[in-house]
Amino acid sequence: EWMVYSDSMRMGRFNCIMDSSLVFSPFVLLFAKALLIDERRGQIRFDRWLAHTHPGDWQRELLELRQQVPQNFKEALEVRNLSAFPKALTNRIANFLCMAPVKLSDIQAVRVPIEEEATGAPRRQLSVFEWPVSSALEDEESPQ
């Protein structure tokens, strides 16, 4: 299990974590900003984490979902209708998130995020969640 949170604040001598939830590894891997799977080494890098894992069909599904979610979500938001988000994709996301947690072992925090560290051939395998900017948002931000 992983604890995710929305914000942390310093209150007096202590740091307080706001809006925290426990989630399983599929959630963390699906919504990590950047992710790189090294099948040869049995490693997975995501954001500022390194772990060992086992190969499986879940890896292909994870990478496909990470490729499809941002653009489809953007399109649904642009038409201001979340029901425009593809039902089949919603079902695939639900199935992925409800599967048994992916076993991550030897988890280590690393100083440099994978999107900054990956270079050369591994960079081409990097999955980065880049949320597309809405054209409506660009119109609002541009000076008139």
Side-chain angles (χ1 to χ4, degrees):
E1 293 181 332
W2 291 75
M3 185 176 80
V4 295
Y5 59 92
S6 64
D7 198 7
S8 66
M9 297 175 53
R10 184 154 190 96
M11 300 182 88
R13 297 183 317 158
F14 305 102
N15 286 339
C16 295
I17 294 176
M18 313 301 281
D19 303 322
S20 63
S21 296
L22 290 176
V23 297
F24 291 110
S25 54
F27 289 84
V28 173
L29 297 174
L30 181 58
F31 295 107
K33 180 178 179 188
L35 179 133
L36 180 65
I37 298 173
D38 185 339
E39 291 182 40
R40 188 177 54 79
R41 292 183 178 163
Q43 292 181 337
I44 188 165
R45 284 284 312 268
F46 52 103
D47 298 335
R48 292 179 184 245
W49 298 96
L50 166 67
H52 287 88
T53 189
H54 62 282
D57 291 339
W58 66 269
Q59 292 174 329
R60 182 185 48 78
E61 181 68 359
L62 170 63
L63 294 172
E64 286 178 11
L65 288 172
R66 287 180 56 85
Q67 186 176 32
Q68 295 176 16
V69 168
Q71 185 62 36
N72 282 283
F73 192 64
K74 173 189 177 267
E75 290 169 6
L77 288 177
E78 284 180 340
V79 297
R80 294 180 172 16
N81 183 357
L82 287 179
S83 66
F85 194 83
K87 182 82 169 154
L89 184 54
T90 301
N91 290 336
R92 284 180 61 198
I93 292 168
N95 289 336
F96 182 79
L97 296 176
C98 290
M99 71 178 198
V102 174
K103 175 126 175 70
L104 301 175
S105 58
D106 303 322
I107 301 170
Q108 301 171 25
V110 294
R111 287 189 175 273
V112 180
I114 187 60
E115 69 268 22
E116 293 177 17
E117 187 176 298
T119 59
R123 182 100 186 147
R124 289 190 295 276
Q125 302 300 318
L126 186 65
S127 168
V128 179
F129 239 19
E130 294 186 46
W131 291 101
V133 176
S134 168
S135 57
L137 183 60
E138 289 174 342
D139 292 344
E140 290 173 11
E141 291 178 351
S142 61
Q144 305 267 329

